[in-house]
C-alpha cells in the first residue's frame, strides 16, 4: 500500500492563518492536520467557556475553514484537527452550519471523552477550571474509517492527529506498536509546524526562513516516514531541522502516549534528498496504564512594573527601589514578590538605551486589590522621590488573573473515549495491553575526544532547542559529527550544565543520552514554577534557554573549531 501524505498547517493557536490555504493549494496531500492546543490554550479556552458555554473551541480554525473546507473537498483531502478544545461537539455543529451556508456536502465527525471536569473530584483531580485527559488516535481512526471528511477533537496528544489517519489508512491494530510508534515520531516532528522546516532552528542562517513552508510526513505501512514540504516553499528539511524538533519537549528515551510508547533511542535519520529526511527503525512498546490529564486552575492575580536604571550605580539604584516598594507594601505585602535585574547596560555607552538596565518587580496575590492599582500606583508615586533618572516602561495598570497548570494521571480504563459519526456514538476501548513506564539504562558513552582546547561558545559546535512541560523545562542539545559527539557526550554533564546555567543549580536536572541523534536532553524540574500561565520567570516557556546555553563558553577541542 502506498504511503499516506499528511501535512500539518498549525503548531499552536495563533499560527500562520494562511497556512491552511497554502498547504491545500501548494501541492498534493491526503490529510491536512492542525494542532491548536497548548497547555496555555486550554486555560484560554476555559475562560472563553466561562463567558459563553457555546464556546471553548479554537475560533480561528472555523474562520480558516470558510475557505479551506471547499478547497479540501475539491482536492479529496481529509481534515483532522484538535481545534475542538473544550467543546468539540460545538465546533462540529459550527462547521455543519458553515458547510450549509457555503452549499457544501461534507461529513463532519468529532471525538469526545477527554473532558473530565464533572468527574474531577471523584477521580482525585481536585476542583480545576479545566480537566482534560490526553486521548489517543483510535477515535480519529474510527471516524475516518466511517467515511468522515472532517474530524475535530478535544484534548488528544499532539501526534494523534497524525497517527489516527495513518492507522485508518493502513488498517493497523492496537498492537501494531512499531508502526504506531513510527507515526508518533513523524507526528512529533510535524505537529509544531514550521519548527520542522527551519523555524526556531539554531543554525537558521544556513537557510532562507523568512517564510518557511509547513511540513509533511509521508508515512509508510511499517511506520517509517519521510519528512518533507511542498516544492518551492521556503525553509528547509534537513537532518538538523528534524533532529531539533525531535528534541522539543521530550524527556527520556521512552516517549509515552495513550496508544504506544515510542522509543526515541531506536530510530535513525538520513537525508534522502533535498528537503527529504527519512526516519526508519522506530520501535514501540505497549502504552502505560494511565493517561495524562491537563489540569488548569485560576491561581490568583498578578501585576508587574519595570523600572529603567540608567548610568552609574545600577546596583545601588535597584536596592533603593526595592526598599521603597517594601515600605509601600507596609504590613500587607503581596503573597509573592519577585525582583529581577537584567544588566542590559554597557559602560561608556553612546546610546542611552545601551546605558540602561531593567529592574522588574512581579507580584502575585489571591486578592486582586493587593496587586492591582495599589501596587502599580505605589511604584509611580515614588517617581520624584527615588533614584536619579527614574522612569518606568509602562503606565500603572490593574492586576490580571493568572492560571496554574499541573499534570494529573488517571487509569485509562476510567476514561470513555467516543467517536461521533452521523449521530452514532462509537465507544473506543482503552488499550488492552499496557506496560508501566521504566527508565532506560544510560547507554555507554563514546571514548572522549582529547587534544588542545579553546574557550569558546558551545553554539559554535552544537545546536539546541528548549521548551516547556508544565513547570519543567527541557533543553535538547545535539551535534552533527561523530567526533563532536565524542566530546559533547563526555563534556556536557549535569554539573557542567548547571555551571553554565546558574539558574538551574539548585533545581533537579536529569540528563538523557540519545546516541542515535548525537544528542543529550536535559530536563530541569521546576524551572518554570507553575507553568507558562503563571509567568514565573523571564521567558516563561523556556523557549530561549537553549540559545542561552549555546552562548555560554566551554573548553572546546580546537579540532572541532
Amino acid at each position: 500500500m502506498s504511503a499516506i501524505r499528511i501535512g500539518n498547517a498549525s503548531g499552536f493557536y495563533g499560527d500562520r492563518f494562511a497556512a491552511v490555504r497554502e498547504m491545500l493549494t501548494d501541492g498534493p496531500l491526503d490529510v491536512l492536520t492542525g494542532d491548536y492546543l497548548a497547555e496555555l490554550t486550554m486555560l484560554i479556552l476555559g475562560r472563553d467557556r466561562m463567558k459563553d458555554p457555546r464556546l471553548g473551541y479554537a475560533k480561528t480554525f472555523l474562520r480558516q475553514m470558510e475557505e479551506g473546507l471547499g478547497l479540501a473537498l475539491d482536492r479529496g483531502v481529509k481534515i483532522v484537527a484538535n481545534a475542538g478544545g473544550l467543546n468539540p461537539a460545538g465546533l462540529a455543529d459550527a462547521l455543519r452550519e458553515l458547510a450549509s451556508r457555503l452549499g457544501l456536502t461534507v461529513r463532519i465527525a468529532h471525538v469526545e471523552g477527554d473532558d473530565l471536569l464533572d468527574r474531577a473530584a471523584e477521580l482525585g483531580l481536585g476542583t480545576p477550571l479545566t480537566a482534560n485527559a490526553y486521548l489517543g488516535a483510535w477515535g480519529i481512526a474510527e471516524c475516518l474509517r466511517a467515511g468522515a471528511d472532517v474530524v475535530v477533537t478535544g484534548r488528544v496528544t499532539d501526534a494523534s492527529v497524525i497517527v489516527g489517519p495513518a492507522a485508518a489508512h493502513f488498517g493497523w491494530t492496537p498492537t501494531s506498536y512499531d508502526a504506531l510508534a513510527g507515526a508518533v515520531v513523524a507526528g512529533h516532528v510535524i505537529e509544531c509546524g514550521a519548527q520542522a522546516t527551519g523555524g526556531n532552528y539554531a543554525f537558521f542562517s544556513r537557510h532562507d526562513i523568512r517564510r518557511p513552508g509547513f511540513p509533511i510526513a509521508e508515512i509508510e505501512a511499517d511506520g517509517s516516514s519521510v519528512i518533507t514540504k511542498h516544492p518551492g516553499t521556503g525553509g528547509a528539511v534537513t537532518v538538523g531541522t528534524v533532529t531539533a524538533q525531535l528534541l522539543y519537549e521530550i524527556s527520556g528515551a521512552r516517549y509515552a502516549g495513550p496508544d504506544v510508547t515510542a522509543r526515541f533511542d531506536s530510530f535513525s535519520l538520513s537525508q534522502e534528498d533535498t528537503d527529504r529526511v527519512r526516519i526508519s527503525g522506530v520501535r514501540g512498546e505497549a502504552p502505560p496504564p494511565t493517561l495524562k490529564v491537563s489540569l488548569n486552575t485560576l491561581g490568583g492575580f498578578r501585576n508587574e512594573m519595570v523600572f529603567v536604571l540608567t548610568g552609574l550605580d545600577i546596583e545601588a539604584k535597584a536596592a533603593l527601589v526595592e526598599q521603597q516598594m517594601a515600605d509601600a507594601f507596609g504590613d500587607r505585602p503581596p503573597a509573592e514578590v519577585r525582583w529581577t535585574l537584567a544588566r542590559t547596560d554597557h559602560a561608556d555607552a553612546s546610546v542611552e538605551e545601551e546605558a540602561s538596565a531593567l529592574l522588574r518587580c512581579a507580584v502575585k496575590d489571591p486578592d486582586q486589590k493587593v496587586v492591582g492599582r495599589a501596587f502599580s500606583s505605589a511604584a509611580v508615586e515614588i517617581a520624584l522621590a527615588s533614584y536619579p533618572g527614574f522612569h518606568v516602561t509602562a503606565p500603572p495598570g490593574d492586576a490580571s488573573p493568572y492560571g496554574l497548570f499541573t499534570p494529573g494521571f488517571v487509569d485509562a480504563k476510567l476514561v470513555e473515549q467516543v467517536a461521533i459519526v452521523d449521530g452514532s456514538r462509537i465507544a473506543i476501548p482503552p488499550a488492552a495491553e499496557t506496560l508501566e513506564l521504566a527508565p532506560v539504562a544510560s547507554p555507554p558513552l563514546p571514548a572522549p575526544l582529547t587534544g588542545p582546547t579553546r574557550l569558546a561558545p558551545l553554539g559554535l559546535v552544537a545546536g539546541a532547542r528548549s521548551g516547556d512541560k508544565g513547570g519543567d523545562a527541557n533543553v535538547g542539545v545535539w551535534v552533527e559529527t561523530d567526533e563532536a559527539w565524542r566530546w559533547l557526550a563526555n563534556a556536557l554533564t549535569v554539573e557542567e550544565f548547571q555551571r553554565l546555567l546558574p539558574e538551574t543549580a539548585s533545581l533537579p536536572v536529569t540528563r538523557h543520552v540519545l546516541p542515535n541523534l548525537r544528542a543529550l536532553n536535559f530536563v530541569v524540574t521546576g524551572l518554570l514554577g507553575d507553568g507558562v500561565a503563571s509567568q514565573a520567570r523571564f521567558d516563561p516557556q523556556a523557549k530561549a534557554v537553549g540559545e542561552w546555553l549555546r552562548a555560554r563558553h566551554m573548553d572546546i577541542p580546537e579540532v572541532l573549531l
Side-chain angles (χ1 to χ4, degrees), residues 174-198:
T175 57
S176 301
Y177 294 132
D178 289 348
L180 290 167
V184 166
V185 171
H188 184 73
V189 173
I190 74 169
E191 71 193 24
C192 286
Q195 280 198 161
T197 57

Side-chain angles (χ1 to χ4, degrees), residues 13 69 200 238 346 387 430:
Y13 191 13
L69 194 55
N200 297 347
T238 68
H346 301 273
Y387 61 88

Side-chain angles (χ1 to χ4, degrees), residues 146-181:
D149 300 305
V150 179
V151 183
V152 291
T153 76
R155 178 73 276 184
V156 296
T157 63
D158 298 345
S160 288
V161 296
I162 291 96
V163 179
H169 179 74
F170 294 115
W172 294 338
T173 70
T175 57
S176 301
Y177 294 132
D178 289 348
L180 290 167

Side-chain angles (χ1 to χ4, degrees), residues 287-437:
T290 58
L291 297 182
K292 183 180 177 181
V293 182
S294 169
L295 300 170
N296 282 287
T297 58
L298 291 177
F301 297 87
R302 69 179 305 276
N303 205 344
E304 70 173 55
M305 293 294 289
V306 179
F307 303 85
V308 182
L309 315 176
T310 304
L312 305 177
D313 306 317
I314 296 295
E315 299 285 348
K317 290 171 180 175
L320 174 59
V321 175
E322 290 185 32
Q323 186 57 61
Q324 288 180 306
M325 290 301 294
D327 293 343
F329 292 150
D331 58 2
R332 180 57 173 91
E336 181 180 326
V337 181
R338 184 184 179 98
W339 291 94
T340 54
L341 176 60
R343 293 302 303 264
T344 51
D345 54 303
H346 301 273
D348 195 24
S350 59
V351 178
E352 181 181 343
E353 190 172 0
E354 295 176 0
S356 301
L358 299 177
L359 178 65
R360 176 174 178 253
C361 181
V363 294
K364 295 178 182 178
D365 199 274
D367 188 340
Q368 183 175 6
K369 293 181 180 178
V370 171
V371 293
R373 290 280 181 172
F375 159 73
S376 56
S377 296
V380 172
E381 286 173 1
I382 62 173
L384 302 181
S386 189
Y387 61 88
F390 180 103
H391 64 287
V392 294
T393 58
D398 205 354
S400 58
Y402 71 90
L404 302 177
F405 170 85
T406 54
F409 294 89
V410 297
D411 187 330
K413 295 176 182 177
L414 300 178
V415 178
E416 301 169 357
Q417 182 179 179
V418 181
I420 293 95
V421 187
D422 297 334
S424 298
R425 298 176 63 85
I426 306 166
I428 307 299
E433 296 179 3
T434 60
L435 182 65
E436 291 281 358
L437 280 180

Side-chain angles (χ1 to χ4, degrees), residues 16 194 196-199 201 204 206-214 229-230 232-238 241 274-275:
R16 187 193 306 170
T197 57
Y201 183 48
F204 68 96
R206 297 177 181 175
H207 310 289
D208 179 2
I209 61 163
R210 288 172 297 174
R211 191 177 177 85
F214 276 64
K229 62 186 184 69
H230 285 316
T233 56
V237 179
T238 68
T241 66
T274 302
D275 294 326

Side-chain angles (χ1 to χ4, degrees), residues 217-243:
E218 297 174 353
I219 302 176
E220 299 169 5
D222 65 351
S224 59
S225 64
V226 171
I227 306 301
T228 186
K229 62 186 184 69
H230 285 316
T233 56
V237 179
T238 68
V239 168
T241 66
V242 172
T243 297

